[in-house]
Amino acid sequence: MSAHGPLRVAIIDDQALMRAGFRALLDAEENIEVVGEAADGRAGLDLVREQTPDVALLDITMPVMTGIEATRAITADPLLASVRVVILTNYGLDAYVFEALRAGAAGFLLKDTEPAELLRAIRVAAEGDALLSPAITRRLIGEFVARPPDRSTAPGLESLTRREREVTALAARGLSNDEIAVHMVVSPFTAKTHVSRAMIKLGARDRAQLVVFAYESGLVEPRSRTDGGRAPGQ
């Protein structure tokens, strides 16, 4: 978020009605500014490069360039390092979720998300926190349960200190920095520092990628192996 103005958001969706609905909702917020709209992934990428918004809302399936392709291009551009991508989908969890998270998406929201939750999600993403709607989180964890850890896709575990492994595991359970601090009996600043160092060592763009790493590396095992498939806190 800009230190001198409102949170800037780009809306990229091939459905005009969806774009209009998102814009009406965001325009009603005093501290959020819609910097532009685009109807396909390529135009959306151009918009993001031109405006450098704080958050880009991307539909996952679009013509010309998909949301995943656009996400990959955005996160690969050093000039767009401050942009957080939130994928919007009608479909919940599918094969695209993992690919987009690895590409650098800050998270996912279903398009039928309540307006208040969408507004909260935009602010959460802008702050660099992982963002997955409860419905997607439950299915995401379930998918990790269904397959064994693949350490080849998540190198770098050995580079983490004991404390950094602990905070990474707690972040994967959905704990905030404040909650991690309470659990570890440290200050919130110390918890945040450990999380940040873990992200740097692992090359994680944000907490969403840190969560993916934790499960794929086998650092944590989904609780749903023993609790019937529920995600933490659900």
Side-chain angles (χ1 to χ4, degrees), residues 195-231:
V195 171
S196 297
R197 287 176 178 170
M199 288 170 57
I200 291 171
K201 288 183 177 181
L202 299 173
R205 179 180 172 90
D206 52 33
R207 289 171 75 103
Q209 288 192 310
L210 194 66
V211 170
V212 171
F213 169 86
Y215 284 104
E216 290 196 326
S217 67
L219 181 61
V220 294
E221 287 191 5
R223 293 175 182 170
S224 43
R225 289 185 186 277
T226 57
D227 69 6
R230 292 181 291 109

Side-chain angles (χ1 to χ4, degrees), residues 75-89:
T75 59
D77 189 340
L79 297 177
L80 303 177
S82 64
V83 179
R84 293 292 176 261
V85 175
V86 175
I87 296 290
L88 298 164
T89 175

Side-chain angles (χ1 to χ4, degrees), residues 13-20 39 59 90 111:
D13 194 302
D14 63 335
Q15 298 180 17
L17 187 59
M18 293 302 300
R19 294 198 308 275
D59 186 14
N90 286 317
K111 287 188 176 181

Side-chain angles (χ1 to χ4, degrees), residues 60 86-87 89 96-97 100-101 105-110 131-133 136:
I60 199 168
V86 175
I87 296 290
T89 175
Y96 295 131
V97 169
L101 285 175
F108 284 75
L109 282 177
L110 298 176
L131 174 65
L132 294 170
S133 69
I136 290 181

Side-chain angles (χ1 to χ4, degrees), residues 57-203:
L57 297 177
L58 270 72
D59 186 14
I60 199 168
T61 55
M62 291 184 290
V64 185
M65 176 183 282
T66 68
I68 293 174
E69 292 170 332
T71 297
R72 188 176 292 114
I74 290 169
T75 59
D77 189 340
L79 297 177
L80 303 177
S82 64
V83 179
R84 293 292 176 261
V85 175
V86 175
I87 296 290
L88 298 164
T89 175
N90 286 317
Y91 310 113
L93 184 72
D94 55 31
Y96 295 131
V97 169
F98 304 100
E99 187 177 353
L101 285 175
R102 294 189 188 104
F108 284 75
L109 282 177
L110 298 176
K111 287 188 176 181
D112 62 359
T113 296
E114 292 294 325
E117 176 63 18
L118 175 63
L119 293 172
R120 186 195 70 84
I122 289 172
R123 295 185 174 96
V124 166
E127 293 171 358
D129 288 334
L131 174 65
L132 294 170
S133 69
I136 290 181
T137 300
R138 284 192 292 269
R139 298 176 65 185
L140 180 66
I141 300 305
E143 176 66 17
F144 278 120
V145 171
R147 59 186 185 183
D150 183 2
R151 289 177 173 80
S152 66
T153 66
L157 183 61
E158 68 283 351
S159 70
L160 300 183
T161 66
R162 179 182 61 81
R163 281 294 208 183
E164 289 163 357
R165 291 189 186 200
E166 185 177 359
V167 299
T168 298
L170 292 172
R173 294 299 187 194
L175 273 65
S176 67
N177 287 341
D178 287 346
E179 291 168 333
I180 290 173
V182 171
H183 184 91
M184 297 177 65
V185 195
V186 298
S187 70
F189 176 80
T190 298
K192 182 177 181 180
T193 298
H194 284 312
V195 171
S196 297
R197 287 176 178 170
M199 288 170 57
I200 291 171
K201 288 183 177 181
L202 299 173

Side-chain angles (χ1 to χ4, degrees), residues 6-11 19 22-29 31-37 47 51 53 55 57 122:
L7 194 157
R8 304 171 73 251
V9 180
I11 302 171
R19 294 198 308 275
F22 289 138
R23 176 179 275 277
L25 174 64
L26 298 179
D27 280 344
E29 295 294 303
N31 60 346
I32 294 180
E33 174 189 359
V34 176
V35 299
E37 302 177 22
L47 172 63
Q51 295 292 335
V55 176
L57 297 177
I122 289 172

